[in-house]
Every structure is written in structure tokens, then in C-alpha cells.
Amino acid sequence: MRAGDLAVPFPAVKSSSPVLEAARLLADQNLPGLVVTDDGGRPITVLPGTQVLRLAVPAYIQDDPALARVIDEAHADKFLAELDGRTVAEALPAQPKDLPIVTAAATVLEVAALMAASRSPLVAVVDAGGVLTGVITLDTLLDRMLNR
Amino acid sequence: MRAGDLAVPFPAVKSSSPVLEAARLLADQNLPGLVVTDDGGRPITVLPGTQVLRLAVPAYIQDDPALARVIDEAHADKFLAELDGRTVAEALPAQPKDLPIVTAAATVLEVAALMAASRSPLVAVVDAGGVLTGVITLDTLLDRMLNR
């Protein structure tokens, strides 16, 4: 039982991709975040879903969410339009999230230890060239551990 | 469109519950974390899935995940047995995660602002007595925003 047996295909975005593409992937699937790759498909970091909202919601409202109560609802529903023309790179946190990376040969315990140490529910699996081939999610790992 | 329209039923655990129960809920469903309530059903905090692994994986392996490579695989697969008899309270991080809480009357923008400000992909929805009635997830919120 190795990392390669736990890896699942997983949507990734490039740091140059439109952030609206990332928002759609997050909305359509139940993902804790998206793997961000360079143009060569090598994983760089992870985009937490909440960062998309940080880019979309005006800063003065994030500072005082109670202000949101007095904003016209019809307008509020359109705030994702703020994302238009922005890239994934713009949504990344100033302190990039740690994304553990393993090859398919990593052991299950190694993957679990990396998730625990980095507090990342995602581990990227790469081939010998460092190109993303899949992702191991926390629930896949726990499922495998509990149901064997 | 209010928080009450976005809330979905969501598994919660009590801080006194067995942590293995939390691990099973995380494994069976694709959740970013579990809402932890007191014995009266009032939300206290969120248990990130990776905390369950932090309790299960020996500290010396978290400090040096490469050590995991030399551990017998048959033994490694049983490490979740470490969780036996431990409670959710023991798995909670020393610095509890911020769990935003709203009533069903909160606006969509208010929910988005709370998620962005707290970096929490979960917002708990409570009734007038402060008891958990549902949860709004980031993907539900984004889905509603993008597909209206």
C-alpha cells in the first residue's frame, strides 16, 4: 500500500489561470482547496477556498461583517463579479500554504505524517519529473485506514 | 436569500465524543472539518481533519516523516488504533479554530465576509437558543453565487 494506490485525479489550476475558474472548481466539487501548478504542471502551493472570498469581498466588509447586513441584497449577490479578470496568483495568501509533495512510492504512514505535520488535508503526488499526477485527500486516507 | 436558505444538515460531534467517531465521519464524507458542540448542542469550535492525524501519528514521525519509510507497513496501517479511547477534546488544537456563527437571518454577503475574515470554510447556523441547526460550507456558498 503506497501513495500511488491512494492518489486520485484532482483538478489543478495554474497560477496564471483566471480565479473565476478556481471558484467554479471549488463550487462544483467538495474540495478543501485547489492545487496550484506552474505552467509545466509542477505543484507550487495550494489555494484555500476561503482565499477566493478574500479577493471577492471588499476589505471594509471583511473588517466588519456586520456592515454586510445593510448592503442591498441584490447587489451583494453579485460580488463575485469582483473576481473578473483576476488570476489565481492574486488570490494566493501572502504566506503561501504548505503543500506536501510525495512520489507514488511514499508509504501510507509517511503521507499521514506529512498531513499531520503540515496540517494540510491534501498531499500532491508527482512523477519522477515533478509533474502532478494526482492528489491524496485526508478523507481518502482515513477511509483506507478505517475500512481495511 | 438568507443564511437559512444555504444551511445544510451537517454531522457534528460533541467534545466528549470518541475521536474515532470523528475519524469515521471525516472518512465517510468529504468534509473540511467537523463542528464540535457542547452537550447542549451549541457549537464551540471546529475540528480540522488533520488534527485527528496529529493525535494518531507518533510525534517523532511527524517531526521527521522520512522515518515513516523505514517502519513496517503492516504496523503502519494500524496506527489509527492509537485513537482508541481518546476523545474529540484531546484532538482539538491548542489554539482553537475560529468557527463563525450566524442565525438563519444573516445575509449571504455577511456569511461570505465571515468566511473570508476567519478563513473558515464552515459557518455554523444556530437557532435563537444558540443550538446548531445546520452549516453553510464554502462550496455551497460559491455554488449559489456562481449559478444564480
Side-chain angles (χ1 to χ4, degrees):
Chain A
M1 179 71 156
R2 298 276 155 160
D5 305 310
L6 289 172
V8 291
F10 197 83
V13 289
K14 294 190 168 66
S15 60
S16 55
S17 301
V19 71
L20 267 173
E21 181 187 326
R24 284 197 193 96
L25 286 169
L26 288 163
D28 290 347
Q29 303 175 48
N30 199 347
L31 303 172
L34 289 172
V35 174
V36 182
T37 67
D38 64 18
D39 287 339
R42 283 172 293 267
I44 310 168
T45 184
V46 66
L47 174 67
T50 50
Q51 285 295 128
V52 174
L53 291 179
R54 290 179 78 86
L55 198 64
V57 178
Y60 69 93
I61 296 178
Q62 292 182 50
D63 291 343
D64 185 0
L67 279 179
R69 282 178 219 157
V70 299
I71 291 182
D72 179 57
E73 186 77 1
H75 175 260
D77 279 7
K78 302 210 162 48
F79 70 93
L80 281 185
E82 291 291 319
L83 298 178
D84 210 25
R86 320 282 289 268
T87 64
V88 166
E90 291 176 72
L92 290 174
Q95 289 251 294
K97 279 276 194 183
D98 196 9
L99 173 66
I101 296 174
V102 297
T103 65
T107 64
V108 171
L109 184 56
E110 193 176 348
V111 172
L114 284 167
M115 277 189 189
S118 64
R119 300 175 195 263
S120 168
L122 293 177
V123 170
V125 183
V126 298
D127 63 19
V131 173
L132 186 72
T133 58
V135 163
I136 302 171
T137 62
L138 175 74
D139 59 288
T140 304
L141 183 75
L142 284 175
D143 188 47
R144 186 67 187 73
M145 295 294 94
L146 288 164
N147 298 317
R148 62 175 283 119
Chain B
M1 178 71 153
R2 298 276 155 160
D5 306 309
L6 289 172
V8 291
F10 196 82
V13 288
K14 294 191 169 67
S15 61
S16 55
S17 300
V19 72
L20 268 173
E21 180 187 326
R24 287 199 190 94
L25 286 168
L26 288 163
D28 289 347
Q29 303 177 48
N30 198 347
L31 303 172
L34 290 172
V35 174
V36 182
T37 68
D38 63 18
D39 288 338
R42 284 172 293 266
I44 309 168
T45 184
V46 65
L47 173 68
T50 51
Q51 285 295 130
V52 174
L53 291 179
R54 291 180 77 86
L55 197 63
V57 178
Y60 69 93
I61 296 179
Q62 292 182 49
D63 290 343
D64 185 1
L67 280 179
R69 282 178 219 155
V70 299
I71 291 183
D72 179 56
E73 186 77 0
H75 175 259
D77 279 8
K78 302 208 162 49
F79 70 91
L80 281 184
E82 292 290 319
L83 298 178
D84 210 26
R86 318 282 289 269
T87 63
V88 166
E90 290 176 72
L92 290 174
Q95 289 252 294
K97 280 276 194 181
D98 196 9
L99 173 67
I101 297 173
V102 297
T103 65
T107 64
V108 172
L109 184 57
E110 192 177 349
V111 171
L114 284 167
M115 278 188 189
S118 64
R119 301 174 196 265
S120 169
L122 295 177
V123 170
V125 183
V126 297
D127 63 19
V131 173
L132 186 72
T133 58
V135 163
I136 301 171
T137 64
L138 176 73
D139 61 286
T140 304
L141 182 75
L142 284 175
D143 186 48
R144 187 66 188 75
M145 296 293 93
L146 287 163
N147 298 319
R148 60 176 285 119

